[in-house]
Amino acid sequence: LRIAIGGIASDAARGSDKAVRAVLETGATAPSEGEPALRRAPVLGDLRERFPELAVWTAEAQSPGGAAEHGVSARLASAAGERTESAPWAYRVLLRRLAHEPGPRLSRAERIALSHHDATEIGAEGLPADALTLAALQTGVPVLAFDAAALEGELALRPAREGEEIDDEPLEEGEVVLADLERPLLVLFGPRVPDAMAGPDTERVVLAAIQAKGIAPVSVEEALWTSVEILRGA
């Protein structure tokens, strides 16, 4: 994966140059042979002004489900502490700016990104969950996995609209949600639509890596590629 524009463009260009922003938000990277295409999800409404550093990068991959290949559990056990200690801080700052506390529906990858340690038993969930866990342990970047068959169109970050809800829970207007063309799928670090998330029986997943201020694009690249690599090797 190569986040060329995202890694080279200055902060000023990202914020003010319409051409750069258009490429960042709609253009796909040109993957090397064997690598998945990486896209930056569009940021809609006033979120670009409110959270200029916030981004979600996506990639698609086949998911075999079941247990990960032999050796992934060992990689999970040895990966804790590989990430830089600035990663949990960066995501806690983002969480405070989103103005809500982490709820009970945090994925294990999100818990890892927000803290230094994860108490959940390593290697117990199978795929794709273990792939996301290893990616988060190595990079500090939380990766989410959606069931591609449950999505309508591409993902986008946008403010929640009046009257929207997730899993029968009303959303506050303006909350930051990741949505497809038809509905909000989750509030960042909050409630999510269960039937949209990938599980052991999912055949094709859409991976989404959250980038906060202070998180290098190369870390996002590594998180997505690590997840894809494990799914392919299972």
Side-chain angles (χ1 to χ4, degrees):
L1 304 177
R2 298 292 180 265
I3 310 177
I5 297 291
I8 294 173
S10 67
D11 289 340
R14 288 167 180 263
S16 61
D17 191 302
K18 293 182 179 179
V20 170
R21 286 174 57 180
V23 172
L24 282 171
E25 295 184 9
T26 62
T29 59
S32 301
E33 184 177 355
E35 295 183 347
L38 177 65
R39 297 184 65 88
R40 179 166 173 164
V43 179
L44 308 177
D46 64 349
L47 293 186
R48 174 58 64 197
E49 286 69 37
R50 290 166 54 196
F51 302 98
E53 73 285 351
L54 179 62
V56 174
W57 297 88
T58 66
E60 292 192 33
Q62 292 295 126
S63 178
E69 67 175 359
H70 180 71
V72 169
S73 293
R75 288 176 64 184
L76 284 165
S78 63
E82 289 187 15
R83 64 172 186 263
T84 62
E85 292 306 307
S86 62
W89 175 85
Y91 288 103
R92 286 195 294 269
V93 169
L94 173 60
L95 192 67
R96 287 196 294 270
R97 292 193 60 200
L98 293 171
H100 65 80
E101 294 298 320
R105 302 190 189 189
L106 287 176
S107 68
R108 184 155 54 144
E110 288 171 326
R111 293 198 302 273
I112 292 168
L114 288 164
S115 62
H116 295 281
H117 304 286
D118 177 53
T120 306
E121 183 181 354
I122 288 175
E125 295 186 57
L127 295 173
D130 284 342
L132 310 184
T133 297
L134 180 55
L137 282 170
Q138 290 188 167
T139 67
V141 175
V143 182
L144 301 161
F146 297 91
D147 185 343
L151 305 183
E152 292 293 336
E154 295 184 355
L155 300 179
L157 283 169
R158 63 168 174 82
R161 299 163 183 158
E162 183 179 0
E164 288 187 321
E165 60 182 37
I166 287 181
D167 198 22
D168 296 326
E169 294 185 24
L171 299 179
E172 293 185 16
E173 190 172 354
E175 281 189 284
V176 181
V177 299
L178 190 60
D180 63 11
L181 292 178
E182 289 195 346
R183 58 178 177 167
L185 303 171
L186 58 80
V187 176
L188 288 191
F189 302 108
R192 59 203 64 204
V193 176
D195 66 21
M197 309 309 295
D201 297 327
T202 301
E203 295 183 357
R204 187 163 185 81
V205 300
V206 174
L207 301 167
I210 302 168
Q211 183 179 4
K213 183 178 181 180
I215 301 298
V218 68
S219 296
V220 182
E221 172 185 337
E222 181 185 356
L224 285 171
W225 180 244
T226 298
S227 301
V228 172
E229 176 191 30
I230 294 173
L231 290 173
R232 286 179 174 176

